[in-house]
Amino acid sequence: MSIGLGSLVSLGSYNKFRHNAFRDCVAYAAVNSATSLFGGVVIFSVLGFMAQEMNVPIDKVAQGGPGLIFIAYPKAISKMPIAPMWAVFFFLMILVLGMDSEFVNIEGVACALIDLFPGIQRRRELFVAGLCFVSFLVGLSMITQGGMYIFQLFDFYSASGMALLAVAVWECVALAWIYGGMEHLKNVQTMLSMKCKLIPFAVCWYVITPGLCLLCSYLYLLNMNH
């Protein structure tokens, strides 16, 4: 997701030319996968507990999204020992998660615009403050009476799902088929100062990654029709 949004690319641009980006990519993929597995265990253990308590199928507890965070989880936390303490920890986690997500997302937008308009660099702090203020104004619309509908529109069409998969596909097309996957492979080998066997990565850029994204898009649309 961070790759599709441009956040990782923006943060990576601050590395030195000879930085071992290969090691960072492997570590990022491993930590990301491990975190997803851990998060899945935590989420479904809570949903399973709630389903048993309510005596309903697990898919009836919550449909995901805001309902999972603000309805299902608080209800489960209220049944834990020392519930107020866990409630504070839970919502503090949500706050920190939202803040650190905004750090990298704002950086991704700022880097892209500064690359297009280098003159902004002289007033970078003011420019980033302006981006934060605009984001704040947009966020205000999501706490109105109909804010949930606005939130879902933004969530569906700009930050996840088909929109993000489309961005990922076109990133692969631009990198592998327009710039040239093998040319990019040479660039990586030059930066790493090593002739490592990175051909499997080129295969991912050319075929596997865009193919999987298109398959996910197809399944996503198929699920929407049902």
Side-chain angles (χ1 to χ4, degrees), residues 139-169:
L140 286 179
S141 67
M142 300 181 190
I143 59 173
T144 59
Q145 188 171 3
M148 182 55 66
Y149 299 104
I150 299 174
F151 171 81
Q152 290 175 339
L153 284 172
F154 272 82
D155 183 53
F156 185 82
Y157 289 107
S158 65
S160 62
M162 288 292 298
L164 203 56
L165 287 171
V167 170
V169 169

Side-chain angles (χ1 to χ4, degrees), residues 106-216:
I106 288 292
E107 187 63 34
V109 175
C111 280
L113 293 175
I114 289 172
D115 287 344
L116 286 174
F117 308 103
I120 300 176
Q121 182 65 40
R122 294 192 297 271
R123 301 284 186 178
R124 181 185 177 91
E125 292 81 5
L126 291 176
F127 177 67
V128 172
L131 283 178
C132 293
F133 183 68
V134 171
S135 299
F136 169 73
L137 293 179
V138 173
L140 286 179
S141 67
M142 300 181 190
I143 59 173
T144 59
Q145 188 171 3
M148 182 55 66
Y149 299 104
I150 299 174
F151 171 81
Q152 290 175 339
L153 284 172
F154 272 82
D155 183 53
F156 185 82
Y157 289 107
S158 65
S160 62
M162 288 292 298
L164 203 56
L165 287 171
V167 170
V169 169
W170 287 112
E171 281 184 352
C172 290
V173 170
L175 175 69
W177 297 97
I178 298 178
Y179 177 73
M182 299 309 296
E183 187 66 27
H184 182 62
L185 197 62
K186 293 176 183 177
N187 298 151
V188 173
Q189 290 175 335
T190 301
M191 288 188 289
L192 295 178
S193 300
M194 53 192 268
K195 298 296 181 181
C196 51
K197 302 296 183 181
L198 296 176
I199 298 300
F201 288 88
V203 175
C204 290
W205 301 331
Y206 277 107
V207 180
I208 296 178
T209 302
L212 286 175
C213 289
L214 290 173
L215 177 62
C216 290

Side-chain angles (χ1 to χ4, degrees), residues 156 217-226:
F156 185 82
S217 300
Y218 171 74
L219 295 175
Y220 194 82
L221 290 173
L222 198 62
N223 185 56
M224 284 179 59
N225 290 333
H226 293 323

Side-chain angles (χ1 to χ4, degrees), residues 42-43 46-47 49-50 53-54 61-62 64-94:
V42 172
I43 288 170
V46 172
L47 291 179
F49 168 74
M50 291 299 299
E53 286 285 310
M54 299 166 62
V61 176
L68 180 64
I69 298 174
F70 296 112
I71 299 175
Y73 262 83
K75 190 179 294 185
I77 290 172
S78 68
K79 298 179 180 296
M80 293 181 178
I82 322 177
M85 181 188 71
W86 294 113
V88 169
F89 286 161
F90 175 74
F91 285 104
L92 183 62
M93 178 198 70
I94 297 297

